[in-house]
Amino acid sequence: MTYVEEVMERVKKFNPGEPEFHQAVQEVLDSIAPAVAAHEEEYRKVKLLERLIEPERSISFQVLWVDDNGEVQINRGYRIQFSSSLGPYKGGLRFHPTVNRSIMNFLGFEQTFKNALTGQAIGGAKGGSNFDPKGKSEREIMAFCQSFMTELFKYIGPNEDVPAGDIGVGAREIGYLYGQYKRITNQFEGVLTGKGLLYGGSLGRTEATGYGLVYITEEMLKSKGMTIAGKTVAVSGSGNVATYTVEKAQQMGAKVVTVSDSNGYIYDPDGIKVDVLKEIKEVRRGRISEYVEAVPTATYHPGKSVWEEVTCDIALPCASQNEIKPEHAVGLVERGCYAVCEGANMPTTREATDYLLEKGVWFLPGKASNAGGVAVSALEMSQNSMRKRRSFEDVDAELKEIMKDIWAQVQSAASDYGQPDNYVMGANIAGFRKVVKAMREQGWV
Ligand code: NDP
Ligand code: 2IT
């Protein structure tokens, strides 16, 4: 057995029943294998791969809260502090009923390499809860957030671990979490990112993941002598990442024809109206089906995924993991799609990824393409430390530079290993090299 195969066996043995975690590790190990082979003896000696797949610290805790009927509810909270090689633990919090240890481990593992690509001093982490925010009242959301933070505060700090949002956690939840942290610790400090602009948030953080995705997609297209202007783009999801992906893609001249949620998708042949999308999702906190009430020329397709039937040049999945299945990849290629850039974390199954790569589709993995969010989170941390505020234009310009730099790193690492068009390999090797270098220089700790 090769070193990589041995470590994969170990992941499965010690983390049984965690398919998403196995999938994320398998993809990284497969693509870094040539970089590992060149240093196998040294890496085996310091148990490098065994350490990369083991979180430095895994916390899970009980979250008790009282619902509007006076009934006690219990959820499970997590914080997986995966790696502190490059800086304080950093990564989002996800509130979704599907959250379990496998999802947390996969997200924390991926975050370590993503954060390395940003060039910012941030380690990797993820957290969240199986709490379902759908249908909850404002008071119930607040009660849950306060109870969640009452336990989480023990493990975080501005130089220790700095959580942010993810699915089900936006500015409202970050506000409640921040208020409770402050109440318990008596400290007003940069312990969370994605905060409101009045209490330490950064301009541009809300937009960062979606904008960054479009900036790096444009860099990739530019390297092929193309541009996103005039292209038909399909987006999935209708949350934070999807909304600002649609906004930036259309500002840059693309036509985005779809958005979705877990109940169905919208097709708007004239291009998604971002103001309508924001009104439904950010103001009314509604469902995407409501879009057709404001835009009668659009159609709603209940129970269907964007990827089943939409024709596009470029696909930008921005909802959740494993949404692009093998049959969707076949359909996308048949209908002429030539680029897939991931806004979500691991939205493409392994089989679908392999198929797209085999068919020569330009495929940018989430670690590289959605890193703009956490990169601007790091800019928020630095503003908090300096007690200084940067303008939107300044932050946005730095985001653009960071995404350009990530694209350059991905291309260069892929070329170093003789597969210049394999950006999965490029992203994984580029992130891996940085984490390993930092570990070595710190005495392999
Ligand atoms: P939001 O909660 O704002 O939006 C999530 C969207 O995805 C909603 O439209 C939701 O629909 C849909 N969705 C979620 N889960 C599923 C599912 N199992 N099946 C189908 N649709 C689903 O989250 P974000 O926009 O913040 O996150 C989207 C993705 O981007 C996630 O993968 C996240 O990890 C990733 N990401 C987020 C970053 C950020 O800065 N926020 C940064 C980098 C990556 P519904 O309302 O029906 O649940
Ligand atoms: O997956 C991600 O990169 C995020 N949810 C953002 C994390 C952050 O700390 O901003």
Side-chain angles (χ1 to χ4, degrees):
M1 261 205 284
T2 64
Y3 185 27
V4 156
E5 285 165 350
E6 274 173 36
V7 172
M8 198 57 229
E9 286 302 301
R10 186 186 171 97
V11 174
K12 291 183 176 157
K13 183 172 170 198
F14 293 116
N15 305 278
E18 298 194 18
E20 292 85 1
F21 184 37
H22 301 171
Q23 181 185 342
V25 174
Q26 183 86 61
E27 183 211 281
V28 169
L29 290 184
D30 286 350
S31 52
I32 63 173
V36 170
H39 300 270
E40 182 159 336
E41 205 180 322
E42 182 192 18
Y43 290 171
R44 273 186 187 271
K45 212 164 145 192
V46 296
K47 299 269 189 298
L48 176 73
L49 298 184
E50 289 86 337
R51 288 160 55 181
L52 284 181
I53 51 108
E54 186 71 28
E56 290 176 10
R57 194 171 297 105
S58 271
I59 299 144
S60 89
F61 49 91
Q62 193 184 75
V63 187
L64 287 178
W65 56 283
V66 178
D67 70 17
D68 286 348
N69 298 321
E71 201 176 310
V72 174
Q73 297 291 340
I74 175 165
N75 287 97
R76 186 178 297 169
Y78 296 92
R79 188 68 182 167
I80 311 292
Q81 298 175 331
F82 229 101
S83 167
S84 60
S85 296
L86 298 175
Y89 304 109
K90 183 84 195 87
L93 297 171
R94 178 178 290 190
F95 292 170
H96 195 272
T98 57
V99 163
N100 57 30
R101 188 168 292 279
S102 176
I103 301 273
M104 293 287 98
N105 276 335
F106 119 65
L107 289 164
F109 177 76
E110 294 251 301
Q111 196 82 40
T112 303
F113 301 100
K114 179 197 305 191
N115 292 3
L117 289 173
T118 66
Q120 306 288 311
I122 40 180
K126 203 79 190 191
S129 175
N130 59 358
F131 173 72
D132 185 359
K134 279 204 192 86
K136 300 292 188 297
S137 70
E138 192 77 21
R139 194 207 62 81
E140 288 174 324
I141 300 275
M142 190 192 295
F144 179 81
C145 288
Q146 291 176 339
S147 186
F148 184 85
M149 183 54 84
T150 301
E151 181 67 22
L152 184 70
F153 91 95
K154 299 168 191 167
Y155 312 104
I156 62 176
N159 297 308
E160 186 178 351
D161 182 354
V162 184
D166 193 80
I167 293 176
V169 179
R172 171 180 65 173
E173 291 73 22
I174 292 292
Y176 296 154
L177 291 164
Y178 191 68
Q180 183 71 356
Y181 178 86
K182 198 181 57 171
R183 203 171 159 200
I184 299 171
T185 63
N186 208 25
Q187 299 293 312
F188 199 102
E189 56 190 6
V191 71
L192 294 168
T193 57
K195 298 184 291 299
L197 296 176
L198 292 173
Y199 49 94
S202 174
L203 287 159
R205 175 62 187 91
T206 305
E207 295 84 353
T209 311
Y211 280 22
L213 170 63
V214 178
Y215 294 151
I216 198 168
T217 301
E218 181 71 354
E219 286 303 309
M220 185 184 81
L221 292 172
K222 246 170 47 190
S223 77
K224 318 284 179 194
M226 293 168 74
T227 165
I228 201 168
K231 303 299 183 299
T232 300
V233 174
V235 167
S236 63
S238 51
N240 172 266
V241 180
T243 300
Y244 293 93
T245 295
V246 174
E247 180 168 281
K248 183 50 73 179
Q250 298 200 144
Q251 278 173 8
M252 289 173 59
K255 185 160 79 173
V256 181
V257 290
T258 59
V259 280
S260 68
D261 61 23
S262 53
N263 297 121
Y265 80 89
I266 292 290
Y267 178 70
D268 186 342
D270 305 320
I272 296 292
K273 291 13 164 219
V274 177
D275 52 339
V276 173
L277 177 61
K278 285 185 183 171
E279 166 68 24
I280 296 168
K281 294 295 300 178
E282 295 180 354
V283 181
R284 302 209 304 256
R285 295 186 180 275
R287 304 297 298 162
I288 205 56
S289 56
E290 296 163 37
Y291 185 91
V292 290
E293 292 161 21
V295 186
T297 48
T299 47
Y300 177 58
H301 304 260
K304 294 231 163 179
S305 150
V306 168
W307 312 120
E308 283 173 47
E309 47 197 20
V310 168
T311 297
C312 62
D313 298 307
I314 299 164
L316 304 176
C318 296
S320 199
Q321 63 276 351
N322 290 330
E323 50 172 299
I324 300 188
K325 317 243 182 268
E327 63 273 22
H328 299 149
V330 172
L332 279 168
V333 171
E334 271 172 10
R335 294 189 295 274
C337 170
Y338 49 81
V340 177
C341 303
E342 296 183 326
N345 285 307
M346 207 169 73
T348 315
T349 62
R350 176 61 187 267
E351 295 73 14
T353 304
D354 289 345
Y355 181 82
L356 294 170
L357 288 173
E358 190 190 302
K359 291 290 167 189
V361 172
W362 305 321
F363 181 88
L364 256 186
K367 270 185 214 86
S369 46
N370 71 35
V374 75
V376 172
S377 276
L379 303 185
E380 180 171 330
M381 287 165 69
S382 80
Q383 291 171 84
N384 293 162
S385 298
M386 292 188 290
R387 300 190 185 285
K388 213 175 155 183
R389 149 152 313 189
R390 297 172 65 173
S391 69
F392 178 85
E393 290 70 26
D394 185 23
V395 171
D396 190 43
E398 184 158 357
L399 170 64
K400 215 177 270 179
E401 285 311 308
I402 291 171
M403 299 315 292
K404 266 190 198 171
D405 180 62
I406 294 176
W407 169 244
Q409 293 177 56
V410 168
Q411 267 201 313
S412 133
S415 300
D416 286 352
Y417 287 87
Q419 296 200 39
D421 290 323
N422 186 339
Y423 312 135
V424 175
M425 189 177 196
N428 286 329
I429 291 184
F432 171 76
R433 286 201 291 216
K434 286 179 156 179
V435 174
V436 173
K437 186 164 192 291
M439 286 172 80
R440 179 189 282 118
E441 288 175 8
Q442 292 173 51
W444 291 117
V445 292

